[in-house]
Amino acid sequence: MGLFNFWKKNDELFDESITIEETRFVVLDTETTGFDYENDRILCIGALVLQNNIISVQETLEIYLQQDHYDKSTAQIHGILRDFVLQRPSELEALQQFLTFLGDSIIVAHHTIFDITMINKALERNNLPQLTNKTLDTAHLYKKTLIKSHLFERKDHYTLDDLADKFDISKKDRHTALGDAYITAIAFLKIVKKLKEKKQISLNQLFK
């Protein structure tokens, strides 16, 4: 039975009997040629499944797309060269693979709006419907763990590096799509644990 069959019609997103642990999350990251939603393109999609507090190494996705658009300046960051992988699917084929992997899971990403918008733009180019999955942003969730005090200066934006440093997560594979998804997944687990230390928290409360 799909997760969304448990959606409720009232103010709550999900039936309260559905726990965070049993929920299937897909943690996502994209590497792109740049940050322009209209003109830049996805180079790589990395995703993994997180369920029952376990990051499943058997359920991962890493797709390098055909690279028609190339930006030398951003290539220095993500390291994906035009001929890095010889056999690459088209944008349409990559999206179809990703949608099959994703299913109706909840998406977790760091600064989710960027990855979701880039994917939705690609879906639009290929005459596919936009994503309707619920999303959670680790940058936003992390702020919920912080103490509210005038003695503590909160930043407007927390990078994935900030979270990796805070939670002592290795950054060995930083700036690869699957590597960043893995860092995000660990950060998400740490954040949920800290939120639970404050008070009992439900799946619905993660979205508030």
Side-chain angles (χ1 to χ4, degrees):
M1 183 179 290
L3 175 65
F4 293 161
N5 291 336
F6 293 112
W7 280 29
K8 300 176 76 176
K9 299 295 185 183
N10 58 19
D11 293 338
E12 298 297 323
L13 292 168
F14 305 101
D15 189 303
E16 285 293 342
S17 65
I18 306 301
T19 66
I20 294 172
E21 286 72 25
E22 69 186 292
T23 301
R24 186 180 191 264
F25 299 97
V26 167
V27 188
L28 165 70
D29 184 76
T30 60
E31 294 298 325
T32 65
T33 57
F35 303 104
D36 186 319
Y37 292 137
E38 297 298 333
N39 297 311
D40 281 303
R41 296 292 183 266
I42 298 170
L43 296 172
C44 184
I45 300 173
L48 53 83
V49 171
L50 177 59
Q51 194 168 19
N52 295 316
N53 291 329
I54 296 170
I55 299 169
S56 176
V57 294
Q58 288 82 23
E59 292 185 273
T60 61
L61 183 75
E62 188 173 39
I63 311 172
Y64 288 89
L65 284 70
Q66 286 180 7
Q67 193 171 338
D68 300 319
H69 181 98
Y70 184 74
D71 187 320
K72 187 166 68 173
S73 62
T74 55
Q76 293 174 351
I77 299 171
H78 51 65
I80 302 173
L81 303 179
R82 185 172 279 148
D83 299 323
F84 181 60
V85 178
L86 294 180
Q87 296 296 325
R88 304 191 198 197
S90 66
E91 187 175 68
L92 175 59
E93 291 168 334
L95 290 169
Q96 290 169 333
Q97 288 179 45
F98 170 68
L99 292 174
T100 299
F101 182 85
L102 175 63
D104 57 7
S105 301
I106 295 173
I107 296 171
V108 177
H110 194 77
H111 296 143
T112 319
I113 189 170
F114 176 75
D115 299 289
I116 296 301
T117 304
M118 288 298 290
I119 290 172
N120 277 336
K121 287 292 183 184
L123 290 167
E124 183 182 347
R125 281 193 297 273
N126 289 276
N127 299 310
L128 293 171
Q130 305 284 280
L131 293 174
T132 58
N133 303 63
K134 294 297 179 186
T135 63
L136 289 168
D137 187 339
T138 47
H140 173 71
L141 288 172
Y142 175 65
K143 290 183 180 181
K144 292 184 176 186
T145 70
L146 301 177
I147 299 170
K148 294 180 180 178
S149 169
H150 66 280
L151 299 174
F152 180 80
E153 184 179 352
R154 297 175 61 148
K155 294 163 65 173
D156 291 331
H157 302 286
Y158 288 91
T159 66
L160 191 56
D161 285 320
D162 288 332
L163 269 61
D165 292 339
K166 170 64 180 177
F167 295 124
D168 196 25
I169 304 169
S170 170
K171 294 187 281 187
K172 188 182 78 161
D173 292 324
R174 185 77 173 91
H175 296 301
T176 66
L178 193 56
D180 284 358
Y182 184 71
I183 294 170
T184 303
I186 297 174
F188 178 70
L189 289 173
K190 301 269 191 182
I191 289 166
V192 170
K193 182 180 178 182
K194 287 185 73 70
L195 290 174
K196 285 185 173 182
E197 288 171 357
K198 287 187 172 185
K199 63 177 182 178
Q200 191 64 31
I201 188 165
S202 69
L203 180 61
N204 287 319
Q205 288 169 328
L206 291 179
F207 292 88
K208 295 178 180 176

